[in-house]
Amino acid sequence: MSDPTVRALRLLSLLQTHQFWSGPELAERLSVSQRTLRRDFDRLRELGYRISAAPGVTGGYRLEASSALPPLLVDEDEAVAIAVGLRTAALHGLTDGEQTSLRALAKLEQVLPRNLRRRVNALQTHTMPAAWGEQPRVAADVLAQLALACRDQERVRFRYTARTGEESSRLVEPHSLVPQGHRWYLIAWDITRDDWRLFRIDRLEDLRRTGVRAQPRQLPTEDAAQFLNSALSATSDRYEMLLRLYMDRDRFEARFRHWGRGAFESQKGVMDWNIQGSTPEELLAYLFWLPEDVEWELHSDDPEVRSAAMRFRDRLDRAFQD
Amino acid sequence: MSDPTVRALRLLSLLQTHQFWSGPELAERLSVSQRTLRRDFDRLRELGYRISAAPGVTGGYRLEASSALPPLLVDEDEAVAIAVGLRTAALHGLTDGEQTSLRALAKLEQVLPRNLRRRVNALQTHTMPAAWGEQPRVAADVLAQLALACRDQERVRFRYTARTGEESSRLVEPHSLVPQGHRWYLIAWDITRDDWRLFRIDRLEDLRRTGVRAQPRQLPTEDAAQFLNSALSATSDRYEMLLRLYMDRDRFEARFRHWGRGAFESQKGVMDWNIQGSTPEELLAYLFWLPEDVEWELHSDDPEVRSAAMRFRDRLDRAFQD
DNA sequence: GTCATGCGGTCAGATCCTGTCCGCATGGTC
DNA sequence: GACCATGCGGACAGGATCTGACCGCATGAC
């Protein structure tokens, strides 16, 4: 315990679990003299951490907010909580550039012991689903692993079920993860096909990291979003509908962030949002995300979408029939 | 840069941003010889971090998952992402004991620079709301601050709007935060009233920490949940309805976790859930969380609840009228 | 085989870290 | 206002450490 490095870490850790600590108490815990403790604090302060101290019986040391973020020392439970939070945030696109949560997640996943990862997965599947129709629910763990692989250009292997239902085994070099309308896609260089491919991550199973690093490759398009768009326009999902929202672009964007990428302002104050999905319920689930004070219209020629909507309406109706 | 402590931290940080690093590269970045670098790795390994290394041109150093979680070194964006994730997780009760996210959150909030906290708040309010009727949306930041205060028994001040609409200014010693049916409550010792009080955190404004530590106090009940129940049963919310779900207790619990605390199994395979809220929309929002394959019934004598439901039904109806 | 890389031993000199001793300042309490 | 617990920082000396330089060796990819 007499190594200054260890002490520095333990000190930061202790300061993070309680706000206030008295000198004698800390000195005793670390088995050093109080003088040395003070010197340790000096060192930390030099490193940019703001540690304030107050004399007197209610005083003590305390780590304050400063510009430098101290290393976060978390225990296992907390790590699990953070991982779950980040995965959820990434899945639902809560942060700025969605890539940020992924980056943080990659850091954590890299060092998350296997048993903790299992706990995270277990928790995640018990999570409230995003909305009514059970929804993707997939692949938060896959997302996390892929984020890590993208960051490190590490080749991965997985089984993939194409839209046609055809299964295949893939070996790819992940390039990036891109969200699009409630879904995540992986853009990767498919090694056996020797070409760029797009994968829906909820169709991806049995992901394995290979441990092999690859050279970075240049995407054929300017950026990942562009690639996604061109690749997506070539295919199409089974169900679709047009949702017209009477709100202006700014508000729409503040509200829907990257989920709303496919939408455009057809007239001033009117956003047209073309929504695709593989089940009718998935489409309808969008409706529950709409703010209450926004007028909307729905257009769909598909009788199945229509009947799913009517089913829910009837259910509501029946509930109040009594 | 020649301080071993600094180097240890920077090394951990670097190892977290990329998976692989070559020795010469690291040595150059840290301005030390490769020999010293190796000694640094030895030290880290002694501290329990598993750092593997491979020779050869594709080799390099790499931080692996081990039982000891290394200190998480995050940049500003990542800290924001983590904070948002944790707040969301806490608000929605995604983790084990919901207290875990709060604990992790407290650690982070304690050191989160003010400008970052602002960003977190900004993001949080742009988040997808929990459901249709705009809902609580409150107070993720308040929750975070209170978690910190509870941990440290730090007195706080705030303005509180009672259910009667009466405003008052409070000075309390926070004891614990307890979630209950989509809401969070603060249990605290009210200093001016000289008694235990229960506060709904979405009614709490203008929270200020005082920096004054208090002595821990003994709750009058065995635990916080009990206190909450007895305090809540004394009051009641404006609107209420009974939701009857045809699912068994296990499934219910796996699904709703602590949100469903008020529910009980009235017959085998039937859960009765009494839901309160301050607006009719808030009640209805619960419906959208129900799994699609579960049958439910609703009972409410309240005409307002009924008409809110009908309003949404009509909206759906109208949408498919075309 | 060749190359880039990681590993660990040894040495000497410079650097640091630590505990002890000191007097001082500050905040809360009686 | 006195008292106590606490935090602060200078000085010092002995011991522990850290570092760079040098070495030969092992390993993995091409």
Side-chain angles (χ1 to χ4, degrees):
Chain A
M1 194 48 49
S2 57
D3 182 357
T5 304
V6 194
R7 272 205 319 272
L9 286 176
R10 285 206 54 196
L11 219 39
L12 283 172
S13 157
L14 289 172
L15 288 174
Q16 281 172 32
T17 59
H18 284 301
Q19 178 118 234
F20 303 93
W21 287 93
S22 80
E25 193 173 357
L26 284 174
E28 218 250 330
R29 263 184 186 253
L30 301 174
S31 330
V32 291
S33 71
Q34 297 190 39
R35 185 69 188 85
T36 302
L37 181 69
R38 285 205 293 279
R39 279 192 276 243
D40 282 350
F41 278 123
D42 286 344
R43 211 194 326 260
L44 288 180
R45 286 194 254 247
E46 262 172 39
L47 287 181
Y49 306 122
R50 244 177 68 203
I51 292 160
S52 63
V57 64
T58 61
Y61 295 90
R62 146 179 195 163
L63 180 59
E64 307 222 337
S66 63
S67 49
L69 281 162
L72 233 40
L73 289 129
V74 296
D75 65 28
E76 299 199 342
D77 293 341
E78 292 161 354
V80 170
I82 291 178
V84 171
L86 282 174
R87 285 181 177 192
T88 312
L91 226 43
H92 295 203
L94 301 184
T95 46
D96 265 342
E98 58 278 359
Q99 303 300 339
T100 317
S101 333
L102 290 183
R103 222 169 61 226
L105 192 50
K107 280 191 178 174
L108 187 55
E109 291 280 333
Q110 181 182 340
V111 295
L112 206 61
R114 189 155 309 149
N115 60 328
L116 295 190
R117 187 164 306 148
R118 271 200 299 272
R119 272 176 57 195
V120 175
N121 290 340
L123 275 173
Q124 197 100 44
T125 49
H126 282 155
T127 288
M128 290 289 159
W132 170 50
E134 287 272 311
Q135 280 272 40
R137 122 130 8 182
V138 287
D141 57 331
V142 177
L143 189 65
Q145 290 297 304
L146 286 176
L148 191 53
C150 285
R151 190 192 69 179
D152 297 321
Q153 269 114 34
E154 184 182 356
R155 287 188 185 165
V156 295
R157 235 177 243 296
F158 53 83
R159 271 189 310 124
Y160 190 68
T161 310
R163 273 186 315 118
T164 58
E166 215 170 334
E167 275 199 23
S168 54
S169 169
R170 307 286 182 133
L171 175 63
V172 308
E173 295 172 2
H175 179 278
S176 48
L177 286 166
V178 193
Q180 170 84 337
H182 281 218
R183 287 249 180 67
W184 281 88
Y185 292 89
L186 168 70
I187 298 174
W189 175 267
D190 189 320
I191 292 170
T192 43
R193 269 98 181 150
D194 206 41
D195 195 7
W196 289 97
R197 288 293 149 93
L198 185 67
F199 302 96
R200 251 177 62 182
I201 71 159
D202 56 331
R203 300 212 148 143
L204 200 149
E205 274 173 297
D206 217 6
L207 177 69
R208 301 241 178 99
R209 288 160 58 191
T210 62
V212 179
R213 246 186 317 174
Q215 292 305 311
R217 275 176 209 275
Q218 190 69 39
L219 260 191
T221 56
E222 209 168 310
D223 63 14
Q226 215 171 90
F227 181 90
L228 180 71
N229 278 333
S230 56
L232 272 186
S233 62
T235 73
S236 91
D237 263 309
R238 172 86 179 73
Y239 296 96
E240 76 179 326
M241 66 181 187
L242 179 74
L243 182 57
R244 171 165 289 177
L245 297 175
Y246 291 91
M247 64 202 296
D248 63 27
R249 169 172 284 282
D250 286 348
R251 187 162 170 223
F252 181 87
E253 283 186 352
R255 170 101 188 157
F256 296 102
R257 322 202 121 255
H258 66 253
W259 292 17
R261 263 192 199 158
F264 63 98
E265 193 166 22
S266 62
Q267 303 159 44
K268 184 134 190 62
V270 181
M271 296 297 297
D272 276 355
W273 192 1
N274 207 350
I275 291 171
Q276 283 122 25
S278 48
T279 67
E281 284 78 14
E282 198 178 318
L283 296 187
L284 289 178
Y286 278 77
L287 300 183
F288 305 123
W289 294 110
L290 303 180
E292 208 191 342
D293 58 347
V294 165
E295 282 304 313
W296 45 264
E297 295 166 11
L298 211 65
H299 301 277
S300 173
D301 297 333
D302 195 320
E304 288 190 61
V305 174
R306 189 192 190 89
S307 84
M310 293 302 100
R311 241 181 358 258
F312 187 77
R313 185 204 56 180
D314 291 344
R315 221 173 166 191
L316 212 53
D317 230 5
R318 216 168 45 240
F320 281 94
Q321 215 63 266
D322 60 351
Chain B
M1 195 47 49
S2 57
D3 183 357
T5 304
V6 193
R7 271 205 319 272
L9 286 177
R10 284 205 54 196
L11 219 38
L12 283 172
S13 154
L14 289 172
L15 288 175
Q16 281 173 32
T17 59
H18 285 301
Q19 178 118 235
F20 303 93
W21 286 94
S22 80
E25 194 173 356
L26 284 174
E28 216 250 331
R29 261 182 190 253
L30 301 174
S31 331
V32 290
S33 71
Q34 296 190 40
R35 187 67 188 87
T36 302
L37 181 69
R38 286 205 292 279
R39 280 191 276 243
D40 282 350
F41 278 123
D42 287 344
R43 210 195 325 263
L44 288 180
R45 286 193 255 248
E46 262 172 41
L47 286 182
Y49 305 122
R50 244 178 68 203
I51 292 160
S52 63
V57 64
T58 60
Y61 295 90
R62 147 179 193 166
L63 181 59
E64 307 225 337
S66 64
S67 49
L69 281 163
L72 232 41
L73 288 129
V74 297
D75 66 28
E76 299 199 343
D77 293 341
E78 292 161 355
V80 170
I82 292 177
V84 171
L86 282 174
R87 286 181 177 192
T88 312
L91 226 44
H92 295 204
L94 301 184
T95 47
D96 266 342
E98 57 278 357
Q99 302 300 339
T100 317
S101 332
L102 289 184
R103 222 170 60 226
L105 193 50
K107 279 191 179 174
L108 188 54
E109 291 280 332
Q110 181 182 339
V111 294
L112 206 60
R114 188 154 311 148
N115 60 329
L116 295 191
R117 186 164 304 147
R118 270 200 300 271
R119 271 176 57 195
V120 175
N121 290 341
L123 275 173
Q124 197 101 42
T125 50
H126 282 156
T127 289
M128 290 291 159
W132 169 48
E134 290 269 313
Q135 277 274 44
R137 123 132 6 183
V138 286
D141 57 330
V142 177
L143 188 65
Q145 290 298 304
L146 287 176
L148 191 54
C150 284
R151 189 192 71 179
D152 297 321
Q153 270 114 34
E154 185 182 354
R155 288 189 184 163
V156 295
R157 234 178 244 296
F158 53 82
R159 272 188 309 124
Y160 191 68
T161 311
R163 273 185 316 116
T164 58
E166 214 171 334
E167 276 199 24
S168 54
S169 170
R170 307 285 181 132
L171 175 62
V172 308
E173 296 172 2
H175 179 277
S176 48
L177 286 166
V178 194
Q180 169 86 337
H182 282 216
R183 286 249 180 66
W184 281 88
Y185 292 89
L186 169 70
I187 298 174
W189 175 267
D190 189 318
I191 292 169
T192 43
R193 270 98 181 149
D194 206 40
D195 195 7
W196 289 97
R197 288 294 150 94
L198 185 67
F199 302 96
R200 251 177 63 181
I201 72 159
D202 55 330
R203 299 212 149 142
L204 201 148
E205 274 174 299
D206 216 6
L207 177 70
R208 300 240 179 102
R209 290 159 58 189
T210 62
V212 179
R213 246 186 319 175
Q215 293 304 311
R217 274 175 211 274
Q218 191 69 38
L219 261 191
T221 56
E222 209 170 308
D223 62 14
Q226 215 172 89
F227 181 90
L228 180 70
N229 279 332
S230 57
L232 272 186
S233 61
T235 73
S236 91
D237 262 311
R238 172 86 180 73
Y239 295 96
E240 77 180 324
M241 66 180 186
L242 179 74
L243 183 57
R244 170 165 288 176
L245 298 175
Y246 292 91
M247 65 202 296
D248 63 27
R249 169 173 283 283
D250 286 349
R251 186 160 170 226
F252 181 87
E253 283 185 352
R255 170 101 189 157
F256 296 103
R257 323 200 120 255
H258 67 251
W259 292 17
R261 263 191 198 158
F264 63 99
E265 193 167 24
S266 61
Q267 305 159 44
K268 184 136 188 58
V270 181
M271 297 296 298
D272 276 355
W273 192 0
N274 207 349
I275 292 171
Q276 284 123 24
S278 48
T279 67
E281 284 78 13
E282 198 178 319
L283 297 187
L284 290 177
Y286 278 78
L287 300 182
F288 304 121
W289 293 110
L290 303 180
E292 206 192 344
D293 58 348
V294 165
E295 282 304 312
W296 45 262
E297 296 165 11
L298 211 65
H299 300 278
S300 173
D301 299 333
D302 195 320
E304 287 191 61
V305 174
R306 189 193 190 88
S307 84
M310 293 302 100
R311 245 187 347 264
F312 186 76
R313 185 203 56 179
D314 292 343
R315 221 174 166 190
L316 212 52
D317 231 4
R318 218 168 41 240
F320 280 94
Q321 218 59 267
D322 59 350

